[in-house]
Amino acid sequence: MTYISGFVTPVRPERRDDFVASAQASWLLFQEYGAIEQVEAWGEDVPTGKQTDFHRAVALQEGEVVVFSWVTWRDKAAADACGAAMQTDPRFAALDMPFDGSRMIYGGFTPVFEQRR
């Protein structure tokens, strides 16, 4: 069964091209570790909630945009192997992070329903 790594990140609009370039570079590495899909989605309609929302989740600051991303892995073992490699593979350390990584939220998820057309 596939496995999903999900991320929500605050990014400044002037860093959008840098963010996309970083995502493209990371995709090359993720594929080596078993990723089968990577999606980076630029926030367009991200409302402020009454109790919780994406804005508060990443401590969104004035002028930033919420980016919602996920990587689909062939399985959890592949995601875990990549996570471990991120600590030791110097290519990951060389990637530009055009956002405040301390405010990124992330998690791993096992799909309970998948449907594609």
Side-chain angles (χ1 to χ4, degrees):
M1 166 148 306
T2 60
Y3 189 76
I4 308 295
S5 297
F7 310 88
V8 181
T9 311
V11 180
R12 293 201 152 299
E14 61 269 18
R15 300 292 315 265
R16 181 178 172 149
D17 291 344
D18 298 329
F19 181 84
V20 171
S22 178
Q24 290 168 332
S26 66
W27 170 240
L28 298 175
L29 298 175
F30 291 158
Q31 286 182 93
E32 287 184 32
Y33 289 96
I36 57 177
E37 176 187 46
Q38 178 179 343
V39 177
E40 307 290 339
W42 196 258
E44 266 186 36
D45 184 12
V46 184
T48 302
K50 292 182 181 177
Q51 292 185 349
T52 189
D53 57 31
F54 285 112
H55 298 250
R56 283 177 265 206
V58 297
L60 196 71
Q61 297 174 2
E62 183 74 28
E64 292 179 329
V65 173
V66 173
V67 177
F68 178 60
S69 311
W70 65 91
V71 177
T72 305
W73 302 94
R74 66 177 178 255
D75 53 31
K76 185 177 187 310
D80 289 347
C82 185
M86 289 177 128
Q87 307 305 313
T88 59
D89 186 330
R91 297 175 299 168
F92 282 106
L95 292 173
D96 178 34
M97 282 191 23
F99 55 87
D100 180 354
S102 70
R103 292 186 289 131
M104 175 178 69
I105 61 170
Y106 59 91
F109 303 86
T110 299
V112 293
F113 176 80
E114 291 182 279
Q115 187 68 47
R116 290 185 179 85
R117 185 171 173 190

mmCIF file with all atom_site columns, all heavy atoms in Angstrom, residues 1-5 7 29-31 33-37 71-76 78-80 82-83:
data_model
loop_
_atom_site.group_PDB
_atom_site.id
_atom_site.type_symbol
_atom_site.label_atom_id
_atom_site.label_alt_id
_atom_site.label_comp_id
_atom_site.label_asym_id
_atom_site.label_entity_id
_atom_site.label_seq_id
_atom_site.pdbx_PDB_ins_code
_atom_site.Cartn_x
_atom_site.Cartn_y
_atom_site.Cartn_z
_atom_site.occupancy
_atom_site.B_iso_or_equiv
_atom_site.pdbx_formal_charge
_atom_site.auth_seq_id
_atom_site.auth_comp_id
_atom_site.auth_asym_id
_atom_site.auth_atom_id
_atom_site.pdbx_PDB_model_num
ATOM 1   N N   . MET A 1 1  ? 0.849  -1.181 0.000   1.00 0.00 ? 1  MET A N   1
ATOM 2   C CA  . MET A 1 1  ? 0.000  0.000  0.000   1.00 0.00 ? 1  MET A CA  1
ATOM 3   C C   . MET A 1 1  ? 0.896  1.245  0.000   1.00 0.00 ? 1  MET A C   1
ATOM 4   O O   . MET A 1 1  ? 1.936  1.269  0.644   1.00 0.00 ? 1  MET A O   1
ATOM 5   C CB  . MET A 1 1  ? -0.900 -0.007 1.231   1.00 0.00 ? 1  MET A CB  1
ATOM 6   C CG  . MET A 1 1  ? -1.547 1.337  1.462   1.00 0.00 ? 1  MET A CG  1
ATOM 7   S SD  . MET A 1 1  ? -3.177 1.422  2.192   1.00 0.00 ? 1  MET A SD  1
ATOM 8   C CE  . MET A 1 1  ? -4.175 0.393  1.189   1.00 0.00 ? 1  MET A CE  1
ATOM 9   N N   . THR A 1 2  ? 0.467  2.276  -0.689  1.00 0.00 ? 2  THR A N   1
ATOM 10  C CA  . THR A 1 2  ? 1.231  3.515  -0.733  1.00 0.00 ? 2  THR A CA  1
ATOM 11  C C   . THR A 1 2  ? 1.245  4.199  0.627   1.00 0.00 ? 2  THR A C   1
ATOM 12  O O   . THR A 1 2  ? 0.493  3.833  1.539   1.00 0.00 ? 2  THR A O   1
ATOM 13  C CB  . THR A 1 2  ? 0.660  4.482  -1.789  1.00 0.00 ? 2  THR A CB  1
ATOM 14  O OG1 . THR A 1 2  ? -0.689 4.793  -1.453  1.00 0.00 ? 2  THR A OG1 1
ATOM 15  C CG2 . THR A 1 2  ? 0.744  3.907  -3.189  1.00 0.00 ? 2  THR A CG2 1
ATOM 16  N N   . TYR A 1 3  ? 2.091  5.216  0.726   1.00 0.00 ? 3  TYR A N   1
ATOM 17  C CA  . TYR A 1 3  ? 2.245  5.988  1.954   1.00 0.00 ? 3  TYR A CA  1
ATOM 18  C C   . TYR A 1 3  ? 2.407  7.447  1.542   1.00 0.00 ? 3  TYR A C   1
ATOM 19  O O   . TYR A 1 3  ? 3.042  7.738  0.526   1.00 0.00 ? 3  TYR A O   1
ATOM 20  C CB  . TYR A 1 3  ? 3.481  5.499  2.724   1.00 0.00 ? 3  TYR A CB  1
ATOM 21  C CG  . TYR A 1 3  ? 3.613  6.068  4.109   1.00 0.00 ? 3  TYR A CG  1
ATOM 22  C CD1 . TYR A 1 3  ? 2.826  5.614  5.148   1.00 0.00 ? 3  TYR A CD1 1
ATOM 23  C CD2 . TYR A 1 3  ? 4.552  7.061  4.377   1.00 0.00 ? 3  TYR A CD2 1
ATOM 24  C CE1 . TYR A 1 3  ? 2.963  6.131  6.437   1.00 0.00 ? 3  TYR A CE1 1
ATOM 25  C CE2 . TYR A 1 3  ? 4.694  7.578  5.658   1.00 0.00 ? 3  TYR A CE2 1
ATOM 26  C CZ  . TYR A 1 3  ? 3.887  7.112  6.681   1.00 0.00 ? 3  TYR A CZ  1
ATOM 27  O OH  . TYR A 1 3  ? 4.018  7.618  7.942   1.00 0.00 ? 3  TYR A OH  1
ATOM 28  N N   . ILE A 1 4  ? 1.849  8.354  2.311   1.00 0.00 ? 4  ILE A N   1
ATOM 29  C CA  . ILE A 1 4  ? 1.865  9.779  1.974   1.00 0.00 ? 4  ILE A CA  1
ATOM 30  C C   . ILE A 1 4  ? 2.622  10.567 3.037   1.00 0.00 ? 4  ILE A C   1
ATOM 31  O O   . ILE A 1 4  ? 2.351  10.430 4.228   1.00 0.00 ? 4  ILE A O   1
ATOM 32  C CB  . ILE A 1 4  ? 0.429  10.359 1.894   1.00 0.00 ? 4  ILE A CB  1
ATOM 33  C CG1 . ILE A 1 4  ? -0.473 9.524  0.984   1.00 0.00 ? 4  ILE A CG1 1
ATOM 34  C CG2 . ILE A 1 4  ? 0.464  11.829 1.478   1.00 0.00 ? 4  ILE A CG2 1
ATOM 35  C CD1 . ILE A 1 4  ? -0.077 9.505  -0.460  1.00 0.00 ? 4  ILE A CD1 1
ATOM 36  N N   . SER A 1 5  ? 3.555  11.403 2.590   1.00 0.00 ? 5  SER A N   1
ATOM 37  C CA  . SER A 1 5  ? 4.177  12.403 3.456   1.00 0.00 ? 5  SER A CA  1
ATOM 38  C C   . SER A 1 5  ? 3.540  13.738 3.094   1.00 0.00 ? 5  SER A C   1
ATOM 39  O O   . SER A 1 5  ? 3.593  14.150 1.931   1.00 0.00 ? 5  SER A O   1
ATOM 40  C CB  . SER A 1 5  ? 5.690  12.477 3.206   1.00 0.00 ? 5  SER A CB  1
ATOM 41  O OG  . SER A 1 5  ? 6.314  11.267 3.533   1.00 0.00 ? 5  SER A OG  1
ATOM 42  N N   . PHE A 1 7  ? 2.831  17.986 3.858   1.00 0.00 ? 7  PHE A N   1
ATOM 43  C CA  . PHE A 1 7  ? 3.511  19.182 4.348   1.00 0.00 ? 7  PHE A CA  1
ATOM 44  C C   . PHE A 1 7  ? 2.644  20.417 4.137   1.00 0.00 ? 7  PHE A C   1
ATOM 45  O O   . PHE A 1 7  ? 1.953  20.530 3.128   1.00 0.00 ? 7  PHE A O   1
ATOM 46  C CB  . PHE A 1 7  ? 4.824  19.415 3.570   1.00 0.00 ? 7  PHE A CB  1
ATOM 47  C CG  . PHE A 1 7  ? 5.698  18.214 3.491   1.00 0.00 ? 7  PHE A CG  1
ATOM 48  C CD1 . PHE A 1 7  ? 5.549  17.299 2.462   1.00 0.00 ? 7  PHE A CD1 1
ATOM 49  C CD2 . PHE A 1 7  ? 6.667  17.975 4.453   1.00 0.00 ? 7  PHE A CD2 1
ATOM 50  C CE1 . PHE A 1 7  ? 6.353  16.172 2.382   1.00 0.00 ? 7  PHE A CE1 1
ATOM 51  C CE2 . PHE A 1 7  ? 7.481  16.853 4.376   1.00 0.00 ? 7  PHE A CE2 1
ATOM 52  C CZ  . PHE A 1 7  ? 7.318  15.948 3.340   1.00 0.00 ? 7  PHE A CZ  1
ATOM 53  N N   . LEU A 1 29 ? 15.813 13.538 -5.979  1.00 0.00 ? 29 LEU A N   1
ATOM 54  C CA  . LEU A 1 29 ? 16.274 12.712 -4.863  1.00 0.00 ? 29 LEU A CA  1
ATOM 55  C C   . LEU A 1 29 ? 15.160 11.794 -4.349  1.00 0.00 ? 29 LEU A C   1
ATOM 56  O O   . LEU A 1 29 ? 15.389 10.606 -4.084  1.00 0.00 ? 29 LEU A O   1
ATOM 57  C CB  . LEU A 1 29 ? 16.786 13.597 -3.731  1.00 0.00 ? 29 LEU A CB  1
ATOM 58  C CG  . LEU A 1 29 ? 17.993 14.471 -4.072  1.00 0.00 ? 29 LEU A CG  1
ATOM 59  C CD1 . LEU A 1 29 ? 18.323 15.394 -2.908  1.00 0.00 ? 29 LEU A CD1 1
ATOM 60  C CD2 . LEU A 1 29 ? 19.179 13.616 -4.433  1.00 0.00 ? 29 LEU A CD2 1
ATOM 61  N N   . PHE A 1 30 ? 13.959 12.343 -4.185  1.00 0.00 ? 30 PHE A N   1
ATOM 62  C CA  . PHE A 1 30 ? 12.848 11.534 -3.681  1.00 0.00 ? 30 PHE A CA  1
ATOM 63  C C   . PHE A 1 30 ? 12.619 10.306 -4.558  1.00 0.00 ? 30 PHE A C   1
ATOM 64  O O   . PHE A 1 30 ? 12.333 9.215  -4.051  1.00 0.00 ? 30 PHE A O   1
ATOM 65  C CB  . PHE A 1 30 ? 11.568 12.353 -3.592  1.00 0.00 ? 30 PHE A CB  1
ATOM 66  C CG  . PHE A 1 30 ? 11.575 13.422 -2.531  1.00 0.00 ? 30 PHE A CG  1
ATOM 67  C CD1 . PHE A 1 30 ? 10.710 14.496 -2.635  1.00 0.00 ? 30 PHE A CD1 1
ATOM 68  C CD2 . PHE A 1 30 ? 12.415 13.376 -1.439  1.00 0.00 ? 30 PHE A CD2 1
ATOM 69  C CE1 . PHE A 1 30 ? 10.691 15.495 -1.672  1.00 0.00 ? 30 PHE A CE1 1
ATOM 70  C CE2 . PHE A 1 30 ? 12.405 14.365 -0.462  1.00 0.00 ? 30 PHE A CE2 1
ATOM 71  C CZ  . PHE A 1 30 ? 11.536 15.424 -0.581  1.00 0.00 ? 30 PHE A CZ  1
ATOM 72  N N   . GLN A 1 31 ? 12.720 10.476 -5.877  1.00 0.00 ? 31 GLN A N   1
ATOM 73  C CA  . GLN A 1 31 ? 12.524 9.342  -6.792  1.00 0.00 ? 31 GLN A CA  1
ATOM 74  C C   . GLN A 1 31 ? 13.513 8.217  -6.495  1.00 0.00 ? 31 GLN A C   1
ATOM 75  O O   . GLN A 1 31 ? 13.151 7.034  -6.545  1.00 0.00 ? 31 GLN A O   1
ATOM 76  C CB  . GLN A 1 31 ? 12.708 9.787  -8.237  1.00 0.00 ? 31 GLN A CB  1
ATOM 77  C CG  . GLN A 1 31 ? 11.571 10.600 -8.779  1.00 0.00 ? 31 GLN A CG  1
ATOM 78  C CD  . GLN A 1 31 ? 11.826 10.954 -10.226 1.00 0.00 ? 31 GLN A CD  1
ATOM 79  O OE1 . GLN A 1 31 ? 11.393 10.228 -11.118 1.00 0.00 ? 31 GLN A OE1 1
ATOM 80  N NE2 . GLN A 1 31 ? 12.540 12.044 -10.448 1.00 0.00 ? 31 GLN A NE2 1
ATOM 81  N N   . TYR A 1 33 ? 14.667 7.341  -3.775  1.00 0.00 ? 33 TYR A N   1
ATOM 82  C CA  . TYR A 1 33 ? 14.281 6.655  -2.537  1.00 0.00 ? 33 TYR A CA  1
ATOM 83  C C   . TYR A 1 33 ? 12.889 6.033  -2.604  1.00 0.00 ? 33 TYR A C   1
ATOM 84  O O   . TYR A 1 33 ? 12.381 5.561  -1.600  1.00 0.00 ? 33 TYR A O   1
ATOM 85  C CB  . TYR A 1 33 ? 14.401 7.617  -1.351  1.00 0.00 ? 33 TYR A CB  1
ATOM 86  C CG  . TYR A 1 33 ? 15.849 7.910  -1.014  1.00 0.00 ? 33 TYR A CG  1
ATOM 87  C CD1 . TYR A 1 33 ? 16.480 9.043  -1.496  1.00 0.00 ? 33 TYR A CD1 1
ATOM 88  C CD2 . TYR A 1 33 ? 16.585 7.016  -0.233  1.00 0.00 ? 33 TYR A CD2 1
ATOM 89  C CE1 . TYR A 1 33 ? 17.812 9.306  -1.199  1.00 0.00 ? 33 TYR A CE1 1
ATOM 90  C CE2 . TYR A 1 33 ? 17.911 7.268  0.069   1.00 0.00 ? 33 TYR A CE2 1
ATOM 91  C CZ  . TYR A 1 33 ? 18.526 8.413  -0.423  1.00 0.00 ? 33 TYR A CZ  1
ATOM 92  O OH  . TYR A 1 33 ? 19.845 8.650  -0.130  1.00 0.00 ? 33 TYR A OH  1
ATOM 93  N N   . GLY A 1 34 ? 12.277 6.041  -3.778  1.00 0.00 ? 34 GLY A N   1
ATOM 94  C CA  . GLY A 1 34 ? 11.011 5.334  -3.942  1.00 0.00 ? 34 GLY A CA  1
ATOM 95  C C   . GLY A 1 34 ? 9.759  6.181  -4.037  1.00 0.00 ? 34 GLY A C   1
ATOM 96  O O   . GLY A 1 34 ? 8.649  5.645  -3.998  1.00 0.00 ? 34 GLY A O   1
ATOM 97  N N   . ALA A 1 35 ? 9.890  7.492  -4.167  1.00 0.00 ? 35 ALA A N   1
ATOM 98  C CA  . ALA A 1 35 ? 8.696  8.331  -4.341  1.00 0.00 ? 35 ALA A CA  1
ATOM 99  C C   . ALA A 1 35 ? 8.100  8.093  -5.719  1.00 0.00 ? 35 ALA A C   1
ATOM 100 O O   . ALA A 1 35 ? 8.819  7.919  -6.705  1.00 0.00 ? 35 ALA A O   1
ATOM 101 C CB  . ALA A 1 35 ? 9.049  9.807  -4.182  1.00 0.00 ? 35 ALA A CB  1
ATOM 102 N N   . ILE A 1 36 ? 6.773  8.079  -5.782  1.00 0.00 ? 36 ILE A N   1
ATOM 103 C CA  . ILE A 1 36 ? 6.103  7.889  -7.064  1.00 0.00 ? 36 ILE A CA  1
ATOM 104 C C   . ILE A 1 36 ? 5.328  9.124  -7.504  1.00 0.00 ? 36 ILE A C   1
ATOM 105 O O   . ILE A 1 36 ? 4.871  9.200  -8.637  1.00 0.00 ? 36 ILE A O   1
ATOM 106 C CB  . ILE A 1 36 ? 5.180  6.642  -7.038  1.00 0.00 ? 36 ILE A CB  1
ATOM 107 C CG1 . ILE A 1 36 ? 4.149  6.742  -5.923  1.00 0.00 ? 36 ILE A CG1 1
ATOM 108 C CG2 . ILE A 1 36 ? 6.015  5.384  -6.893  1.00 0.00 ? 36 ILE A CG2 1
ATOM 109 C CD1 . ILE A 1 36 ? 3.152  5.584  -5.881  1.00 0.00 ? 36 ILE A CD1 1
ATOM 110 N N   . GLU A 1 37 ? 5.204  10.113 -6.608  1.00 0.00 ? 37 GLU A N   1
ATOM 111 C CA  . GLU A 1 37 ? 4.500  11.349 -6.950  1.00 0.00 ? 37 GLU A CA  1
ATOM 112 C C   . GLU A 1 37 ? 4.907  12.436 -5.966  1.00 0.00 ? 37 GLU A C   1
ATOM 113 O O   . GLU A 1 37 ? 5.130  12.161 -4.796  1.00 0.00 ? 37 GLU A O   1
ATOM 114 C CB  . GLU A 1 37 ? 2.983  11.140 -6.869  1.00 0.00 ? 37 GLU A CB  1
ATOM 115 C CG  . GLU A 1 37 ? 2.160  12.377 -7.101  1.00 0.00 ? 37 GLU A CG  1
ATOM 116 C CD  . GLU A 1 37 ? 0.675  12.166 -6.851  1.00 0.00 ? 37 GLU A CD  1
ATOM 117 O OE1 . GLU A 1 37 ? 0.316  11.561 -5.813  1.00 0.00 ? 37 GLU A OE1 1
ATOM 118 O OE2 . GLU A 1 37 ? -0.116 12.601 -7.684  1.00 0.00 ? 37 GLU A OE2 1
ATOM 119 N N   . VAL A 1 71 ? 4.068  13.982 -0.878  1.00 0.00 ? 71 VAL A N   1
ATOM 120 C CA  . VAL A 1 71 ? 4.870  13.028 -1.636  1.00 0.00 ? 71 VAL A CA  1
ATOM 121 C C   . VAL A 1 71 ? 4.220  11.669 -1.426  1.00 0.00 ? 71 VAL A C   1
ATOM 122 O O   . VAL A 1 71 ? 3.948  11.271 -0.290  1.00 0.00 ? 71 VAL A O   1
ATOM 123 C CB  . VAL A 1 71 ? 6.338  12.996 -1.165  1.00 0.00 ? 71 VAL A CB  1
ATOM 124 C CG1 . VAL A 1 71 ? 7.131  11.943 -1.934  1.00 0.00 ? 71 VAL A CG1 1
ATOM 125 C CG2 . VAL A 1 71 ? 6.983  14.366 -1.307  1.00 0.00 ? 71 VAL A CG2 1
ATOM 126 N N   . THR A 1 72 ? 3.942  10.977 -2.519  1.00 0.00 ? 72 THR A N   1
ATOM 127 C CA  . THR A 1 72 ? 3.403  9.624  -2.445  1.00 0.00 ? 72 THR A CA  1
ATOM 128 C C   . THR A 1 72 ? 4.560  8.647  -2.638  1.00 0.00 ? 72 THR A C   1
ATOM 129 O O   . THR A 1 72 ? 5.339  8.769  -3.585  1.00 0.00 ? 72 THR A O   1
ATOM 130 C CB  . THR A 1 72 ? 2.339  9.391  -3.543  1.00 0.00 ? 72 THR A CB  1
ATOM 131 O OG1 . THR A 1 72 ? 1.321  10.392 -3.432  1.00 0.00 ? 72 THR A OG1 1
ATOM 132 C CG2 . THR A 1 72 ? 1.712  8.012  -3.413  1.00 0.00 ? 72 THR A CG2 1
ATOM 133 N N   . TRP A 1 73 ? 4.660  7.712  -1.705  1.00 0.00 ? 73 TRP A N   1
ATOM 134 C CA  . TRP A 1 73 ? 5.724  6.703  -1.714  1.00 0.00 ? 73 TRP A CA  1
ATOM 135 C C   . TRP A 1 73 ? 5.150  5.352  -2.070  1.00 0.00 ? 73 TRP A C   1
ATOM 136 O O   . TRP A 1 73 ? 3.970  5.100  -1.824  1.00 0.00 ? 73 TRP A O   1
ATOM 137 C CB  . TRP A 1 73 ? 6.366  6.620  -0.330  1.00 0.00 ? 73 TRP A CB  1
ATOM 138 C CG  . TRP A 1 73 ? 6.936  7.911  0.134   1.00 0.00 ? 73 TRP A CG  1
ATOM 139 C CD1 . TRP A 1 73 ? 6.307  8.851  0.914   1.00 0.00 ? 73 TRP A CD1 1
ATOM 140 C CD2 . TRP A 1 73 ? 8.227  8.443  -0.166  1.00 0.00 ? 73 TRP A CD2 1
ATOM 141 N NE1 . TRP A 1 73 ? 7.142  9.920  1.110   1.00 0.00 ? 73 TRP A NE1 1
ATOM 142 C CE2 . TRP A 1 73 ? 8.328  9.690  0.457   1.00 0.00 ? 73 TRP A CE2 1
ATOM 143 C CE3 . TRP A 1 73 ? 9.310  7.964  -0.906  1.00 0.00 ? 73 TRP A CE3 1
ATOM 144 C CZ2 . TRP A 1 73 ? 9.469  10.473 0.370   1.00 0.00 ? 73 TRP A CZ2 1
ATOM 145 C CZ3 . TRP A 1 73 ? 10.451 8.743  -0.991  1.00 0.00 ? 73 TRP A CZ3 1
ATOM 146 C CH2 . TRP A 1 73 ? 10.526 9.984  -0.355  1.00 0.00 ? 73 TRP A CH2 1
ATOM 147 N N   . ARG A 1 74 ? 5.990  4.456  -2.552  1.00 0.00 ? 74 ARG A N   1
ATOM 148 C CA  . ARG A 1 74 ? 5.508  3.105  -2.875  1.00 0.00 ? 74 ARG A CA  1
ATOM 149 C C   . ARG A 1 74 ? 5.059  2.382  -1.611  1.00 0.00 ? 74 ARG A C   1
ATOM 150 O O   . ARG A 1 74 ? 4.152  1.559  -1.642  1.00 0.00 ? 74 ARG A O   1
ATOM 151 C CB  . ARG A 1 74 ? 6.544  2.320  -3.656  1.00 0.00 ? 74 ARG A CB  1
ATOM 152 C CG  . ARG A 1 74 ? 7.795  2.001  -2.913  1.00 0.00 ? 74 ARG A CG  1
ATOM 153 C CD  . ARG A 1 74 ? 8.763  1.136  -3.741  1.00 0.00 ? 74 ARG A CD  1
ATOM 154 N NE  . ARG A 1 74 ? 9.962  0.911  -2.968  1.00 0.00 ? 74 ARG A NE  1
ATOM 155 C CZ  . ARG A 1 74 ? 11.113 1.514  -3.183  1.00 0.00 ? 74 ARG A CZ  1
ATOM 156 N NH1 . ARG A 1 74 ? 11.224 2.349  -4.178  1.00 0.00 ? 74 ARG A NH1 1
ATOM 157 N NH2 . ARG A 1 74 ? 12.149 1.261  -2.416  1.00 0.00 ? 74 ARG A NH2 1
ATOM 158 N N   . ASP A 1 75 ? 5.699  2.746  -0.446  1.00 0.00 ? 75 ASP A N   1
ATOM 159 C CA  . ASP A 1 75 ? 5.302  2.179  0.844   1.00 0.00 ? 75 ASP A CA  1
ATOM 160 C C   . ASP A 1 75 ? 5.968  2.986  1.961   1.00 0.00 ? 75 ASP A C   1
ATOM 161 O O   . ASP A 1 75 ? 6.808  3.854  1.697   1.00 0.00 ? 75 ASP A O   1
ATOM 162 C CB  . ASP A 1 75 ? 5.662  0.693  0.946   1.00 0.00 ? 75 ASP A CB  1
ATOM 163 C CG  . ASP A 1 75 ? 7.123  0.397  0.646   1.00 0.00 ? 75 ASP A CG  1
ATOM 164 O OD1 . ASP A 1 75 ? 8.003  1.253  0.923   1.00 0.00 ? 75 ASP A OD1 1
ATOM 165 O OD2 . ASP A 1 75 ? 7.401  -0.698 0.119   1.00 0.00 ? 75 ASP A OD2 1
ATOM 166 N N   . LYS A 1 76 ? 5.602  2.684  3.199   1.00 0.00 ? 76 LYS A N   1
ATOM 167 C CA  . LYS A 1 76 ? 6.150  3.411  4.343   1.00 0.00 ? 76 LYS A CA  1
ATOM 168 C C   . LYS A 1 76 ? 7.653  3.179  4.486   1.00 0.00 ? 76 LYS A C   1
ATOM 169 O O   . LYS A 1 76 ? 8.398  4.086  4.870   1.00 0.00 ? 76 LYS A O   1
ATOM 170 C CB  . LYS A 1 76 ? 5.426  3.019  5.634   1.00 0.00 ? 76 LYS A CB  1
ATOM 171 C CG  . LYS A 1 76 ? 5.876  3.828  6.849   1.00 0.00 ? 76 LYS A CG  1
ATOM 172 C CD  . LYS A 1 76 ? 5.087  3.451  8.084   1.00 0.00 ? 76 LYS A CD  1
ATOM 173 C CE  . LYS A 1 76 ? 5.375  4.323  9.275   1.00 0.00 ? 76 LYS A CE  1
ATOM 174 N NZ  . LYS A 1 76 ? 6.775  4.514  9.616   1.00 0.00 ? 76 LYS A NZ  1
ATOM 175 N N   . ALA A 1 78 ? 9.869  2.937  2.191   1.00 0.00 ? 78 ALA A N   1
ATOM 176 C CA  . ALA A 1 78 ? 10.575 3.862  1.294   1.00 0.00 ? 78 ALA A CA  1
ATOM 177 C C   . ALA A 1 78 ? 10.603 5.264  1.889   1.00 0.00 ? 78 ALA A C   1
ATOM 178 O O   . ALA A 1 78 ? 11.636 5.943  1.861   1.00 0.00 ? 78 ALA A O   1
ATOM 179 C CB  . ALA A 1 78 ? 9.909  3.874  -0.084  1.00 0.00 ? 78 ALA A CB  1
ATOM 180 N N   . ALA A 1 79 ? 9.480  5.705  2.451   1.00 0.00 ? 79 ALA A N   1
ATOM 181 C CA  . ALA A 1 79 ? 9.428  7.033  3.082   1.00 0.00 ? 79 ALA A CA  1
ATOM 182 C C   . ALA A 1 79 ? 10.384 7.097  4.268   1.00 0.00 ? 79 ALA A C   1
ATOM 183 O O   . ALA A 1 79 ? 11.106 8.084  4.433   1.00 0.00 ? 79 ALA A O   1
ATOM 184 C CB  . ALA A 1 79 ? 8.000  7.357  3.524   1.00 0.00 ? 79 ALA A CB  1
ATOM 185 N N   . ASP A 1 80 ? 10.409 6.055  5.071   1.00 0.00 ? 80 ASP A N   1
ATOM 186 C CA  . ASP A 1 80 ? 11.306 6.023  6.228   1.00 0.00 ? 80 ASP A CA  1
ATOM 187 C C   . ASP A 1 80 ? 12.771 6.017  5.797   1.00 0.00 ? 80 ASP A C   1
ATOM 188 O O   . ASP A 1 80 ? 13.609 6.685  6.412   1.00 0.00 ? 80 ASP A O   1
ATOM 189 C CB  . ASP A 1 80 ? 11.016 4.802  7.099   1.00 0.00 ? 80 ASP A CB  1
ATOM 190 C CG  . ASP A 1 80 ? 9.697  4.906  7.852   1.00 0.00 ? 80 ASP A CG  1
ATOM 191 O OD1 . ASP A 1 80 ? 9.122  6.020  7.904   1.00 0.00 ? 80 ASP A OD1 1
ATOM 192 O OD2 . ASP A 1 80 ? 9.241  3.866  8.368   1.00 0.00 ? 80 ASP A OD2 1
ATOM 193 N N   . CYS A 1 82 ? 14.005 7.303  3.077   1.00 0.00 ? 82 CYS A N   1
ATOM 194 C CA  . CYS A 1 82 ? 14.327 8.648  2.608   1.00 0.00 ? 82 CYS A CA  1
ATOM 195 C C   . CYS A 1 82 ? 14.497 9.587  3.799   1.00 0.00 ? 82 CYS A C   1
ATOM 196 O O   . CYS A 1 82 ? 15.425 10.400 3.829   1.00 0.00 ? 82 CYS A O   1
ATOM 197 C CB  . CYS A 1 82 ? 13.258 9.161  1.663   1.00 0.00 ? 82 CYS A CB  1
ATOM 198 S SG  . CYS A 1 82 ? 13.662 10.767 0.933   1.00 0.00 ? 82 CYS A SG  1
ATOM 199 N N   . GLY A 1 83 ? 13.622 9.483  4.777   1.00 0.00 ? 83 GLY A N   1
ATOM 200 C CA  . GLY A 1 83 ? 13.738 10.321 5.972   1.00 0.00 ? 83 GLY A CA  1
ATOM 201 C C   . GLY A 1 83 ? 15.076 10.133 6.670   1.00 0.00 ? 83 GLY A C   1
ATOM 202 O O   . GLY A 1 83 ? 15.708 11.096 7.103   1.00 0.00 ? 83 GLY A O   1
#
